[in-house]
Amino acid sequence: MAMKYFRQIMSGINPAPLLAQVAEHPELWGAFKTWTEGKPESVLSKMGMAANNIELSYNKGHPNEWDRPAFHILSEVQSLIFDLMTVVKGRLLGRAIISRMAPGDVIKPHVHEVQFGMPRIFDTFQIPLQVDPGVVFGCGDEELYMEPGTAWTFDNQVFHWVRNGSDRDRISLMVDIRPFIPIRVGP
């Protein structure tokens, strides 16, 4: 079935090594709050979910300061991100986080910020690491269960949301990449 807002990019990814490293380093959860600090309007701020993110890269300020310590501590994430960048012919890594949602949590409908009049330069990709049936990712009028071991892109300029209707934490890797040729999903 063709989807309007989602596109599968990769499959056959083994999330187990990265999940094992994440479990070994619980101190990384919430160590940086760039995506939420000082942004009371942020979806994650409103939900109090800043503690449920591991920041890996953030494209603000000087490029030499984009990488967070977690990017180097979690060496398994480097392979996943670089493999994804190779597949999508990425030329610039933007923001990257590992996000955790408890059972019952909801990320409210939102669109990714793009300054008015500016072109969207990053495509958003998601690699589900620990996602059980019952977790639903919605974009526009579509809903999708993203199976672990796959990679997806979606139209981040259309309202999208996530609901964890499973009995276990949902853990996903979210990466913004600027490809040489943008991958556009949507009508």
Side-chain angles (χ1 to χ4, degrees):
M1 174 177 88
M3 301 193 82
K4 292 186 291 191
Y5 302 114
F6 294 100
R7 182 169 157 204
Q8 186 173 341
I9 301 296
M10 295 170 62
S11 61
I13 300 166
N14 181 6
L18 177 55
L19 285 170
Q21 282 188 331
V22 167
E24 291 171 10
H25 294 281
E27 75 281 1
L28 297 176
W29 291 108
F32 285 88
K33 296 175 178 53
T34 311
W35 280 27
T36 57
E37 200 164 87
K39 299 177 187 175
E41 74 285 356
S42 158
V43 173
L44 297 178
S45 287
K46 289 178 183 176
M47 297 173 51
M49 290 183 65
N52 288 317
N53 290 314
I54 297 175
E55 283 192 28
L56 303 163
S57 177
Y58 192 76
N59 58 325
K60 295 283 185 178
H62 193 278
N64 291 339
E65 299 169 359
W66 289 3
D67 290 350
R68 300 294 191 237
F71 186 78
H72 303 285
I73 294 168
L74 303 175
S75 58
E76 292 293 334
V77 81
Q78 296 169 21
S79 297
L80 288 179
I81 290 174
F82 295 140
D83 287 350
L84 180 60
M85 288 186 74
T86 298
V87 168
V88 303
K89 297 177 177 43
R91 67 177 177 174
L92 181 62
L93 173 63
R95 300 181 293 184
I97 65 168
I98 298 173
S99 175
R100 175 177 64 186
M101 288 179 68
D105 277 353
V106 174
I107 296 177
K108 296 177 183 178
H110 65 285
V111 295
H112 290 200
E113 296 176 16
V114 175
Q115 293 181 346
F116 181 74
M118 296 294 292
R120 183 174 89 190
I121 61 171
F122 288 100
D123 290 334
T124 300
F125 300 88
Q126 187 156 157
I127 298 176
L129 302 173
Q130 175 181 289
V131 180
D132 292 342
V135 175
V136 178
F137 193 116
C139 188
D141 59 355
E142 296 177 328
E143 294 183 356
L144 177 67
Y145 165 66
M146 292 183 177
E147 188 175 342
T150 58
W152 296 84
T153 190
F154 62 95
D155 189 342
N156 64 18
Q157 296 303 292
V158 172
F159 277 99
H160 56 280
W161 50 271
V162 182
R163 179 182 63 245
N164 185 354
S166 76
D167 295 330
R168 195 164 65 140
D169 284 349
R170 166 214 181 243
I171 301 175
S172 286
L173 172 62
M174 291 178 280
V175 183
D176 288 345
I177 298 172
R178 182 177 188 176
F180 280 102
I181 300 171
I183 299 171
R184 295 293 179 241
V185 181

